[in-house]
Amino acid sequence: MSKTLAENTSDARSRLLDAAMTVIRQKGFSATTVDDICQAAGLTKGSFFHYFKSKQDLGVAAAQHFADMADGLFGSADYRKLADPVDRLLGYVDLRVAILQGPISSFTCLLGTMTQEVYKSHPAILAACDRHMAEHIGELVKDITEARDLYCPDALWTPDSLGLHIQAVLQGSFIFAKARGGPEVAVEILGHLRRYLKMLFKR
């Protein structure tokens, strides 16, 4: 395969996945059709089925695509350079607040959106979403473990449980943003999360 053809192939697949991330967060997985995704990507259904066997196959790939995007965003963020693990956790929350901009579908979590909708109907998508959310939480748990060892080594809670709690608050904030039609309520919720983390680590 020539370099140009390889680049075009990669670009077409990425366009479909980018379109899927956008449309599914706007309409939900069940309401999203292959035609919707093709139209948003500016590609044909033939292109879609060249890369994906089915809409479920696309959903699994879109979960990976979203996770890769999130890994890049949070992994390269400035707060990762901070020496104190609590500052890194607070920086994570601050970045979450900072990206609450634009249409609701642009900042909500594709993994959470699909999990709520497909948890009984599409086990492959559910497994992919669960795996990627767990991997994201695992990165937080590294900082949480370091922070607990430094500031409250006798705490009865586990780093894993706090990582899950942080993500539960985030996912809940997205639900309320959808319910109320804007990010303001999510900003307030994450403000409480930030204060809770500071109190938890006696900051």
Side-chain angles (χ1 to χ4, degrees), residues 166-179:
I166 291 171
Q167 289 305 304
V169 173
L170 284 166
Q171 296 296 339
S173 74
F174 297 146
I175 290 172
F176 278 106
K178 292 175 181 177

Side-chain angles (χ1 to χ4, degrees), residues 32-51:
T32 295
T33 66
V34 171
D35 286 332
D36 291 333
I37 294 166
C38 292
Q39 182 177 2
L43 294 167
T44 65
K45 289 179 76 171
S47 295
F48 179 94
F49 287 109
H50 176 75
Y51 298 108

Side-chain angles (χ1 to χ4, degrees), residues 56 60 114-116 118-133:
Q56 173 169 285
V60 172
M114 291 201 295
T115 295
Q116 291 175 60
V118 308
Y119 73 101
K120 282 194 173 182
S121 58
H122 293 82
I125 296 176
L126 177 63
C129 291
D130 184 42
R131 181 174 68 255
H132 294 309
M133 286 190 288

Side-chain angles (χ1 to χ4, degrees), residues 8-203:
N8 289 340
T9 297
S10 175
D11 178 64
R13 187 175 188 276
S14 293
R15 284 164 60 188
L16 288 165
L17 291 171
D18 287 340
M21 287 199 310
T22 298
V23 179
I24 292 171
R25 286 190 288 177
Q26 289 174 340
K27 301 179 65 172
F29 182 79
S30 295
T32 295
T33 66
V34 171
D35 286 332
D36 291 333
I37 294 166
C38 292
Q39 182 177 2
L43 294 167
T44 65
K45 289 179 76 171
S47 295
F48 179 94
F49 287 109
H50 176 75
Y51 298 108
F52 307 106
K53 297 177 183 177
S54 64
K55 195 173 81 167
Q56 173 169 285
D57 187 35
L58 169 79
V60 172
Q64 178 71 63
H65 191 64
F66 183 84
D68 291 341
M69 179 272 295
D71 288 346
L73 173 64
F74 292 101
S76 62
D78 288 342
Y79 74 83
R80 298 301 315 157
K81 302 173 186 176
L82 300 175
D84 191 297
V86 176
D87 288 337
R88 294 198 295 272
L89 289 171
L90 297 177
Y92 171 81
V93 177
D94 290 341
L95 179 55
R96 284 290 194 174
V97 172
I99 61 179
L100 294 173
Q101 304 288 332
I104 293 172
S105 60
S106 69
F107 62 74
T108 49
C109 177
L110 178 72
L111 305 178
T113 296
M114 291 201 295
T115 295
Q116 291 175 60
E117 188 175 356
V118 308
Y119 73 101
K120 282 194 173 182
S121 58
H122 293 82
I125 296 176
L126 177 63
C129 291
D130 184 42
R131 181 174 68 255
H132 294 309
M133 286 190 288
E135 290 169 353
H136 186 76
I137 292 170
E139 292 301 309
L140 280 177
V141 167
K142 295 176 184 177
D143 289 334
I144 294 169
T145 300
E146 187 179 342
R148 190 187 69 163
D149 291 346
L150 186 61
Y151 288 103
C152 47
D154 297 326
L156 298 179
W157 50 267
T158 66
D160 286 335
S161 68
L162 181 56
L164 286 167
H165 174 73
I166 291 171
Q167 289 305 304
V169 173
L170 284 166
Q171 296 296 339
S173 74
F174 297 146
I175 290 172
F176 278 106
K178 292 175 181 177
R180 300 192 179 181
E184 294 80 11
V185 64
V187 172
E188 292 182 9
I189 290 169
L190 296 188
H192 283 296
L193 174 61
R194 195 181 197 281
R195 286 187 286 274
Y196 172 69
L197 291 173
K198 290 179 70 175
M199 290 188 292
L200 192 64
F201 294 108
K202 302 178 175 61
R203 292 290 298 272

